[in-house]
Amino acid sequence: MHGEAKLLLKFLDGSDNRYIIPVYQRNYDWRPKQCEQLFNDLVQIIKKDRKTHFFGSIVTSSANKGGKSDYLVIDGQQRITTISILFTAMVNLMKSGTVAAEDKRLVEKIEKKFLVDEYQTEERKLRLKPIKDDCVSFDKLITNNPSEFVESSNITQNYHYFENRIKKNEISIDELYEAIFRLEIIDIFLDKEDNPQLIFESLNSTGLDLTEADKIRNFILMGLDAKKQEEYYENYWNKIEKFTAYNVSGFIRNYLTLIQKKIPNINNVYFTFKEYVLEKMNIESADDCEAILKDMLYYSQIYNKIITAKNDPKEIISSILFRLNNIEMTVSYPFLLAMFGHEERSEITANDVEITLKVLESYIGRRIMCPNYTSNALNKVFCSLDSEVMKLKSENPSESYSSILIYYLLSRSGAAGFPTDKEFIDALTNRDVYHMFKKSREYLFDRLENGDTVERVNVIDMMENGDLTIEHIMPQTLTEEWKAELGTDYQNVYDQNLHTLKNLTLTGYNSKYSNSLYSEKKNCEKGFKDSGLNLNKPLLDYDHWTINEMQNRLEKLIAQAEQLWPYPKTDFVPAKKEDDEVSLDDDEILTGRTLVSYSYGNVKEREVYSWVEMFTDVIKQIYDEDSSQIRILAADETYEYIVLSNTEKQGDWFKIADDVYLYTHNSTNAKIRILNRVFEAYGKDKSELVFNLKAD
């Protein structure tokens, strides 16, 4: 095996070179997202006049039964295939006259050097041979008959993406070729004695991938001189690692959410950070990153306060943070970073912080109990909560942070809403608590057992290690004695109440109790009468366990829960009620509500006159960014709302592209369903599409 650095096109160039993807490799799976990153890099190569840009490594070996210049691509097929697709898009656009090159021989140069081997004796003369269906899809692009394109293929969709980007003319077609020429690779060639399969497995199956934080650290430090590398690492990065308990990737994701009010994809934190540094901050190189590192260090210290909070009843703030950490409420971290930042800068008081955290725990605790409130809605809530509160506070400076926050949370509706007393009581009465998410169940019993008392039972740890388990007072298997205890309506009592809170408690002796009658569970050795748990003390008031006792116990538990998770109140009302703001991921019925404007992507609060206008705008914007999934939907003959048609469709159809049409004569909620389907197909964050609705 030997390797060397060389330009990609020098590697690909050769009068009769062919590159064959072995069948043991996966199908081509780059999506427009990866193509977008590549094309952005190519644009920056030209605009920043970069001499080279590293494009990764490519591992090849000689194909035993192929021609003398046939190479098996052991690793790097995604890169080679993507460049071939890009070249094909360039050639087809130049041939059609859509774009024109100054170099009149550019089409011929690309075709003969990198796409077609005209002297090949085989019927198929293309230099790249993908596997299986990928090969068919790629060949159709070369023949350039759009009616035969395989629209369900990633190869075809990436071709459409490159077509659209080239047409935007961000750089000329000649400059695009020059940018590709500056891509540099590590060319690793395997000798005859090397085992390609073993090396492929080694390259793809061993070792740890770089984390997002590793990539960010390298991006910041790699280009610096040795002295500054050491200085930045010791003064900033090493401290950030320690403050974040070495979960730097998670911290930076929360930091970016705090700064940008948008949650980056967990696997895309590095690229989001890089874009933020180079484009949003207008920073040319890592030499200028010190201000960002200082800011990250500042917030990493706040982050440390959040993640290291202790369960100390004397410290209310710390105890609430501990409980939020225990139920893995990491989605709240961007808000907590912002709020504690305000406190450290003396913009809000410690009392404000305490009230705010109590309200947040009520909000989260009630939502945990109420099954209709999904946790994914909290992403958007905590992403923008601080900025929304501070916006109102700037207009009402005499009002406290906490009172405005209460107003804002209570004004949310749908999936982001604050569960009412009625909803909370209904959930406490009827929710299947026994099958709740484990962390939520532990949190519920811990709060009910301990409240805010100083003397505590470590319920969570004891439930984790099995020292405490959930006991069904009315057992899961009814004996004849239990049926007699419950009365003639025993089946309904059993079906409606078995797993609900009123029938559940904690014990360390679950197996001993078995299906014993209530009186035996109460009075036996280690029974309820001997239990030191607060949850079991009220059970001593009962001699039997029927629906009457269950209801009596439920009333006491409801009263306790309403104290632990109270519904907050505030006197604050803004001088002018703002328009309602609802996002696509909010569970709200929108029929009959007037749309004033919408925000999505690069469109910030665009005024519209109808839901149709917003609907067609957003679908068109998504298509122009990446046509792949919309075209796949359109190619599905069972999906009637987006279709492919070479015949011009009139009336209720909106033309997305020359051959793609969107049906618009449907209800508002139908449009929302179509938008949901499109967003899900692309894996897009639905909270990014925001509707501003006229206030009632």
Side-chain angles (χ1 to χ4, degrees), residues 604-665:
K604 303 299 180 187
E605 273 206 73
R606 178 178 173 190
E607 291 187 10
V608 288
Y609 298 99
S610 66
W611 286 99
V612 172
E613 188 178 356
M614 174 281 303
F615 179 52
T616 54
D617 279 359
V618 172
I619 296 291
K620 184 72 165 67
Q621 183 179 339
I622 292 173
Y623 183 90
D624 290 344
E625 291 168 356
D626 171 5
S627 63
S628 61
Q629 299 307 305
I630 289 177
R631 294 191 71 88
I632 289 173
L633 275 178
D636 181 355
E637 294 182 358
T638 66
Y639 193 67
E640 56 189 349
Y641 301 107
I642 304 175
V643 300
L644 291 174
S645 175
N646 290 318
T647 305
E648 189 82 18
K649 295 179 78 70
Q650 304 289 337
D652 299 328
W653 294 90
F654 172 79
K655 184 177 181 179
I656 300 174
D658 286 343
D659 59 343
V660 183
Y661 292 84
L662 171 69
Y663 186 69
T664 61
H665 191 63

Side-chain angles (χ1 to χ4, degrees), residues 359 362-363 365-367 369-371 373 409-410 417-431 554-555 557-569:
V359 171
S362 282
Y363 178 63
R366 285 177 173 236
R367 291 176 62 89
M369 197 64 209
C370 298
Y373 290 89
L409 287 179
L410 295 183
F418 202 125
T420 63
D421 284 341
K422 182 179 182 303
E423 292 172 309
F424 191 40
I425 291 170
D426 182 66
L428 290 167
T429 303
N430 300 308
R431 177 80 189 269
L554 174 64
E555 290 171 12
L557 289 170
I558 287 173
Q560 185 183 359
E562 287 183 314
Q563 287 186 326
L564 291 171
W565 298 283
Y567 192 76
K569 296 179 181 178

Side-chain angles (χ1 to χ4, degrees), residues 22 53 77 88 96 143 154 218 226 238 328 400 409 480 487 632 676:
H53 179 84
Q77 70 131 323
T88 304
S96 69
T143 57
N154 286 331
N218 293 352
N238 191 33
E328 300 175 350
S400 69
L409 287 179
E480 292 304 317
I632 289 173
N676 269 296

